Amino acid sequence: MQFSSPLMEEYKQKQRKYFEQAIQNSQATQEQIDELAREAKSGWWERNKDRFPGLEDV
């Protein structure tokens, strides 16, 4: 279930604009971005895998 409100939509638009500006000014290569994404995903799984019983060893 998703809820939407004018305040939430405004927040999302501001977030999107912020990230678009950050991306435009970035000098990172696609390889660096891919590596950062892998690191972030890996860390998330380590912090949250106990929330998914039966998948700990995946």
Side-chain angles (χ1 to χ4, degrees), residues 27-42:
Q27 295 180 10
T29 65
Q30 186 63 49
E31 188 174 291
Q32 291 169 322
I33 293 167
D34 293 342
E35 178 61 25
L36 181 60
R38 279 191 294 278
E39 289 176 16
K41 289 178 183 179
S42 171

Side-chain angles (χ1 to χ4, degrees), residues 37-54:
R38 279 191 294 278
E39 289 176 16
K41 289 178 183 179
S42 171
W44 183 92
W45 179 248
E46 288 302 315
R47 290 187 308 274
N48 293 284
K49 65 183 175 183
D50 60 324
R51 297 173 56 200
F52 302 92

